Amino acid sequence: MRRTKISDLLQQPDFDKEVEVKGWVRTNRGNKYVNFIHLNDGSTIHNLQIVADAEKFDEDFLKQITTGACIRVFGKLVESQGKGQTMEIQAETIELYGTADPTTYPLQKKGHSLEFLREIAHLRPRTNTFGAIFRMRHHMAYAIHKYFNQKGFYYLHTPIVTASDAEGAGSMFQVTTLDLNNVPRNEENQVDYSQDFFARQTNLTVSGQLEGELGAMSLGEIYTFGPTFRAENSNTPRHLAEFWMIEPEMAFYDINDNMDLAEDFLKYLIRYALEHCADDIQFLNDMFDKELIDRLKFVVEHDFVRLTYTEGVKILEESKQKFEFPVYWGADLQSEHERYLVEKHFKKPVILTDYPKEIKSFYMKQNDDGKTVRGMDVLFPKIGEIIGGSEREADYQKLMNRVNELGMNTDPIWWYIETRKFGTAPHSGFGLGFERLMLFVTGMANIRDVIPFPRTPKNADF
Ligand code: 4AD
Ligand code: MG
């Protein structure tokens, strides 16, 4: 007989039938006559109660069934007479797969801090909190593919190892097979990358966008969904060195179409979470963030505010608010500025557009004013920037002018520039940080707690 998942039992209980369940013991409480074992198998936040009568089982055996142990239980599913659960299993046989020594198993009592749980990332998925978060991560990933598939977008796989710096920000992890203790050098005493694996300098991608644009210029509408890497030394609750990004790229979209898609996409995902992760969201709402469900509903039900960077800066300047970082036209907005606009001023998600070109990437479409570009950032409550995107510069000469102005090396991106010579067209796209989305839908405060194995400066454990 195959095991039944606890989530299936809860949905469709077949009372008075024999079933087999397998999972990890959350608690085992009992007396001389009976033990009540609460079992969790990861399929749901809810535990299943197992009733083990003392007369059927050896006392010493039952004593080994402690918190964290893994067991197989066979028995009859019955309606529960006790409080706190609707059903339970009257155990007939129990097999102990693995014990968990109570003196060393770290997840004994509830109420461990999130900081402590990060240090035991191999075990934290067994807590209610991380079970809920990682189930939700799965559902959100699925919803992303579902959304784009329904709209006729193709999932394009862009490379992880690249020779280009898509954002031009220089914060890349180098990929090499050279012997770092004996690096080959050329006549000018520089590293001789011709001897490296790819015969050139390579790095982990910071974004799939440049290759994504090639997809849009052929398949029409594509998206990527993959890991991206940034070697920025940002130790904040919103930055990871390895994070997942979703990047749609669309031919014939201008920036307004791009904003419409971003807003529709985010609302779809949040609605999907509310519909498909109700139990887990309720748990997180009760335990961590009492306003979570209200906030999610609010975002789904209201239009995002759209305004230019220039208008946004004016509001910030006139706010008389004391910010840690000064705000003036030309300044790169910090999370505190973004959150002021969203949480204090508009009390709604905001899409800012038309940023100064100096603080945005080389590929953004240049406005006629010569100062701003058609970039857009979607700003969310508690998060700040959740999406960054733009209409792309489709004009060959204008793109080349900007590349030259910035003194960029065109060698790694010649192919990108060449698409502006052959059948160029207006097109747009954006990137959604998957973990920023997860922060929003789970209500968690630290990005390290919404990815199973976070990668941050000085930390690549597990
Ligand atoms: O604004 P970014 O840097 O934009 C791009 O990479 C563009 N190529 C996207 C595009 O137009 N196709 O990053 C996009 C999003 C940010 O809005 C943020 O949500 C997330 O990626 N992000 C990070 N998330 C976690 N940790 C980091 N270090 C992040 N950096 C960016
Ligand atoms: Mg950005």
Side-chain angles (χ1 to χ4, degrees):
M1 193 166 118
R2 282 245 233 100
R3 69 136 171 162
T4 308
K5 289 194 181 178
I6 294 173
S7 57
D8 292 338
L9 285 182
L10 293 174
Q11 255 169 22
Q12 253 184 355
D14 214 353
F15 287 121
D16 300 320
K17 287 263 169 59
E18 289 183 319
V19 292
E20 186 175 70
V21 293
K22 299 178 180 184
W24 292 267
V25 174
R26 285 296 163 78
T27 54
N28 181 7
R29 292 197 185 86
N31 52 40
K32 300 210 282 247
Y33 311 106
V34 65
N35 276 46
F36 297 103
I37 301 164
H38 284 182
L39 197 68
N40 190 283
D41 69 358
S43 64
T44 158
I45 189 107
H46 302 293
N47 298 331
L48 183 66
Q49 175 155 287
I50 313 293
V51 183
D53 283 327
E55 58 186 32
K56 279 198 207 140
F57 299 94
D58 182 59
E59 194 186 329
D60 288 336
F61 176 73
L62 286 180
K63 272 194 192 143
Q64 288 180 276
I65 301 178
T66 53
T67 299
C70 186
I71 57 173
R72 175 177 76 87
V73 179
F74 178 78
K76 196 187 278 180
L77 185 72
V78 298
E79 284 184 69
S80 177
Q81 309 300 317
K83 267 208 230 153
Q85 66 276 326
T86 56
M87 64 184 71
E88 61 198 23
I89 290 183
Q90 295 284 350
E92 283 157 36
T93 57
I94 299 178
E95 183 184 343
L96 184 56
Y97 282 135
T99 57
D101 180 357
T103 60
T104 50
Y105 183 61
L107 292 174
Q108 285 308 325
K109 291 202 186 74
K110 289 180 190 164
H112 291 299
S113 71
L114 294 168
E115 288 78 8
F116 170 71
L117 292 173
R118 271 175 227 145
E119 291 168 16
I120 51 165
H122 59 310
L123 296 172
R124 71 176 182 167
R126 296 204 204 162
T127 62
N128 286 331
T129 300
F130 287 94
I133 293 166
F134 299 149
R135 276 188 296 275
M136 285 183 70
R137 230 184 120 95
H138 160 80
H139 287 296
M140 286 293 95
Y142 178 73
I144 285 159
H145 288 298
K146 193 171 174 197
Y147 178 84
F148 286 124
N149 185 57
Q150 280 168 358
K151 289 185 97 71
F153 283 53
Y154 298 110
Y155 181 25
L156 186 77
H157 296 94
T158 51
I160 308 280
V161 177
T162 71
S164 58
D165 178 358
E167 289 303 298
S171 48
M172 300 182 296
F173 290 100
Q174 202 170 323
V175 174
T176 180
T177 54
L178 293 178
D179 177 359
L180 295 184
N181 290 313
N182 187 18
V183 175
R185 294 188 178 271
N186 60 20
E187 278 155 19
E188 286 98 61
N189 202 30
Q190 282 166 335
V191 177
D192 182 7
Y193 285 107
S194 70
Q195 296 188 42
D196 204 345
F197 187 89
F198 296 106
R200 63 187 306 163
Q201 194 175 354
T202 54
N203 51 270
L204 294 176
T205 188
V206 296
S207 156
Q209 178 194 324
L210 301 193
E211 291 89 352
E213 286 189 43
L214 311 182
M217 288 288 110
S218 48
L219 301 170
E221 293 166 337
I222 63 91
Y223 68 104
T224 71
F225 186 178
T228 48
F229 306 87
R230 304 216 176 160
E232 313 162 276
N233 204 357
S234 321
N235 239 317
T236 82
R238 279 176 286 278
H239 286 87
L240 290 165
E242 175 180 302
F243 64 100
W244 288 66
M245 186 153 49
I246 301 100
E247 295 184 274
E249 191 71 35
M250 298 74 63
F252 320 122
Y253 271 51
D254 67 14
I255 192 161
N256 293 309
D257 304 323
N258 204 23
M259 286 192 276
D260 289 344
L261 181 74
E263 181 167 345
D264 185 63
F265 180 45
L266 285 168
K267 285 178 172 169
Y268 174 90
L269 295 176
I270 296 163
R271 217 179 294 122
Y272 191 97
L274 284 165
E275 278 170 23
H276 295 85
C277 310
D279 287 357
D280 288 330
I281 291 182
Q282 188 67 55
F283 172 83
L284 295 168
N285 186 90
D286 297 344
M287 296 301 290
F288 293 99
D289 181 351
K290 297 277 188 291
E291 285 154 25
L292 173 61
I293 294 176
D294 288 344
R295 196 180 314 115
L296 297 182
K297 287 187 175 156
F298 183 85
V299 167
V300 169
E301 286 161 10
H302 291 84
D303 287 342
F304 297 2
V305 177
R306 300 180 185 189
L307 73 160
T308 63
Y309 167 92
T310 302
E311 291 165 326
V313 166
K314 192 150 174 274
I315 292 170
L316 291 168
E317 282 174 336
E318 286 169 2
S319 73
K320 302 273 177 304
Q321 189 81 8
K322 279 235 160 30
F323 292 115
E324 190 188 338
F325 294 90
V327 61
Y328 52 90
W329 199 96
D332 201 359
L333 297 186
Q334 303 294 322
S335 164
E336 55 171 342
H337 307 130
E338 298 172 338
R339 291 182 61 178
Y340 178 85
L341 290 174
V342 172
E343 293 166 20
K344 299 265 163 51
H345 189 82
F346 290 110
K347 300 195 166 62
K348 274 184 190 183
V350 169
I351 311 183
L352 277 189
T353 59
D354 301 286
Y355 282 79
K357 64 179 178 186
E358 286 76 16
I359 57 171
K360 289 293 180 190
S361 297
F362 71 98
Y363 51 69
M364 294 195 182
K365 183 176 168 65
Q366 297 157 37
N367 284 322
D368 293 338
D369 63 10
K371 290 193 292 196
T372 59
V373 289
R374 306 235 85 182
M376 59 172 229
D377 279 5
V378 181
L379 314 178
F380 256 36
K382 288 195 70 177
I383 311 289
E385 177 188 342
I386 192 163
I387 278 181
S390 74
E391 185 169 344
R392 314 307 187 192
E393 184 52 79
D395 181 276
Y396 175 80
Q397 204 49 58
K398 285 188 183 164
L399 182 64
M400 278 311 293
N401 289 349
R402 186 68 187 138
V403 162
N404 290 332
E405 209 168 57
L406 291 166
M408 288 172 65
N409 176 10
T410 54
D411 183 48
I413 52 166
W414 65 270
W415 42 271
Y416 178 81
I417 296 167
E418 195 171 276
T419 55
R420 272 64 177 169
K421 281 190 184 167
F422 305 133
T424 191
H427 63 291
S428 301
F430 61 80
L432 167 66
F434 188 51
E435 286 74 22
R436 301 259 174 109
L437 171 75
M438 290 310 303
L439 278 177
F440 189 70
V441 294
T442 60
M444 300 304 287
N446 194 312
I447 202 161
R448 292 163 179 79
D449 296 330
V450 296
I451 185 167
F453 307 105
R455 297 286 176 260
T456 49
K458 299 198 164 56
N459 170 39
D461 290 344
F462 305 101

